[in-house]
Amino acid sequence: MKPKYDNPILLKTKITSLSPQLQGVSPDTNLTFRYTNIGDEVTYEQRGKGKNKFAKVDSILRANPYNPQCSHFADCGGCSGQHLDYQTQFTTKTSLVFEKFKSQFHFQPNLIPSERHYEYRNRMDFAVFPGFIGLRQAENFRRIIDIKKCELQSEWANEELTQLRSLLLDEYQDLPLDRRSGNGYLKYITLRTNIKSSDTITILTFTEDFQSTELDNKLADDLLKFSTSNNIIFCYNRKQSEVSADGIFKVIRGKSHYTEDFFGKIIQVPFNSFFQPNPNGFMPIIRFIEDKLKTIESSTLIDLFCGD
């Protein structure tokens, strides 16, 4: 097949700052570049408006680079800043909000960094393709990076992922859904746990035509032997739907929820619900609200929130 770009135009630029999304910014382009730092020289292909492709980074300041803990970093699209030390990440991501509060509201917020930089997420969703279980490449929804260990999830979740990979890729090779041919059934694996990893839930998402088949029942029996999860859920939705942990479901083991303990309050978290993915990082906010509520005399409260 003839290459789409026979003679790509190569340009160079230098990174002078970082965006709040931790991408490198150059003064002479309107582009940002992933996985770069201030001082890096970037070589990229010009492919027309909005079609520029990042090609190479020659490090200038990082003679002794900050080594990412994850072996999949810069290939997997799950993380964007592991090449930067945490203080740089924290300052860069919060500076815009800090300055706006300071200039517009004459208020200087107290910014609290996270105590845990790895193993903090209580939920991860892994896409399943023939021969691969992992996360999508940055800016490429169709390519899956085979993930053997994710540094963001708990130790239990990585052990569970290892067990599932062994079972599904070795014993059930025809089970993963091939998005091109339509063959296969399994689309996603979702692993969730509470703060202490004392209550866990494993969710497998299939196409709806897999429900109640002989293979469905056989896999359920095998998972009861392989999985260490307190709760196991099978759920089924449309073949074309790229949605994990949702649809018609059945409980293979345990219950359809896991429990979380916040300040002595037991919360039941349904398998298909949203819940704070970084509860350890959220604790200072909860404590701040709790302290303020003790001093508020008014009965009117306003809950303001946003997502990134």
Side-chain angles (χ1 to χ4, degrees):
M1 182 180 293
K2 185 178 180 181
K4 187 174 181 180
Y5 299 96
D6 294 325
N7 298 300
I9 300 174
L10 297 181
L11 301 175
K12 286 190 176 183
T13 188
K14 188 175 290 186
I15 302 301
T16 60
S17 62
L18 296 173
S19 73
Q21 291 74 36
L22 303 181
Q23 296 187 5
V25 179
S26 65
D28 54 345
T29 75
N30 60 347
L31 305 174
T32 57
F33 300 90
R34 290 177 177 269
Y35 317 126
T36 57
N37 199 356
I38 297 172
D40 284 347
E41 186 174 79
V42 179
T43 303
Y44 63 98
E45 298 177 17
Q46 187 178 47
R47 293 187 172 182
K49 186 177 181 181
K51 300 294 183 181
N52 298 289
K53 183 179 179 181
F54 165 76
K56 183 180 179 182
V57 175
D58 297 315
S59 178
I60 294 177
L61 292 185
R62 283 181 287 158
N64 296 306
Y66 179 76
N67 294 318
Q69 183 168 318
C70 180
S71 61
H72 303 291
F73 179 70
D75 198 9
C76 163
C79 297
S80 58
Q82 284 193 31
H83 62 298
L84 306 168
D85 65 90
Y86 179 73
Q87 186 56 50
T88 299
Q89 296 181 47
F90 180 74
T91 302
T92 303
K93 289 180 72 69
T94 59
S95 59
L96 181 62
V97 175
F98 183 85
E99 291 302 324
K100 280 188 175 294
F101 269 95
K102 188 176 179 180
S103 62
Q104 296 183 15
F105 304 105
H106 308 291
F107 171 73
Q108 187 165 312
N110 180 27
L111 304 178
I112 303 176
S114 175
E115 295 179 358
R116 301 180 64 175
H117 307 159
Y118 294 97
E119 296 186 9
Y120 61 84
R121 281 192 66 92
N122 62 8
R123 170 174 178 162
M124 289 295 295
D125 293 81
F126 298 96
V128 181
F129 279 50
F132 299 92
I133 297 176
L135 301 173
R136 288 183 164 84
Q137 186 184 48
E139 300 179 351
N140 189 347
F141 190 79
R142 297 178 180 274
R143 187 186 175 201
I144 299 299
I145 305 303
D146 200 32
I147 303 293
K148 295 178 175 60
K149 179 182 180 182
C150 177
E151 301 291 347
L152 299 189
Q153 65 180 0
S154 69
E155 182 179 351
W156 166 81
N158 276 316
E159 292 174 354
E160 179 78 350
L161 180 61
T162 298
Q163 293 294 330
L164 293 174
R165 286 178 60 88
S166 175
L167 174 65
L168 297 173
L169 296 185
D170 293 341
E171 304 297 327
Y172 288 86
Q173 297 179 6
D174 295 330
L175 187 63
L177 176 65
D178 187 324
R179 269 70 169 180
R180 293 183 178 181
S181 68
N183 297 326
Y185 307 98
L186 179 59
K187 298 191 288 184
Y188 288 96
I189 295 171
T190 302
L191 304 175
R192 306 186 69 170
T193 183
N194 61 11
I195 292 179
K196 299 178 181 179
S197 292
S198 59
D199 200 8
T200 56
I201 189 165
T202 295
I203 309 150
L204 274 65
T205 303
F206 303 92
T207 60
E208 55 192 358
D209 55 342
F210 186 67
Q211 186 178 10
S212 300
T213 62
E214 183 178 345
L215 189 59
D216 180 26
N217 297 326
K218 182 179 184 301
L219 178 62
D221 291 339
D222 284 344
L223 268 183
L224 291 174
K225 304 171 187 176
F226 271 78
S227 174
T228 63
S229 185
N230 300 113
N231 311 285
I232 304 175
I233 306 294
F234 283 6
C235 63
Y236 314 86
N237 56 38
R238 292 186 308 106
K239 181 171 291 188
Q240 294 77 18
S241 174
E242 289 295 336
V243 177
S244 61
D246 196 22
I248 299 172
F249 73 93
K250 68 178 179 181
V251 178
I252 307 301
R253 174 193 287 163
K255 301 178 180 179
S256 61
H257 64 265
Y258 70 97
T259 56
E260 189 65 85
D261 186 345
F262 276 101
F263 304 106
K265 299 290 184 180
I266 303 301
I267 302 172
Q268 293 183 356
V269 183
F271 80 93
N272 57 350
S273 66
F274 172 81
F275 193 73
Q276 172 57 236
N278 183 6
N280 282 294
F282 194 62
M283 282 299 184
I285 300 176
I286 297 295
R287 294 191 184 98
F288 175 83
I289 294 173
E290 184 182 38
D291 291 341
K292 290 299 179 182
L293 286 175
K294 296 176 182 179
T295 64
I296 293 178
E297 298 180 357
S298 172
S299 59
T300 301
L301 299 175
I302 300 174
D303 181 16
L304 302 176
F305 66 97
C306 67
D308 185 6

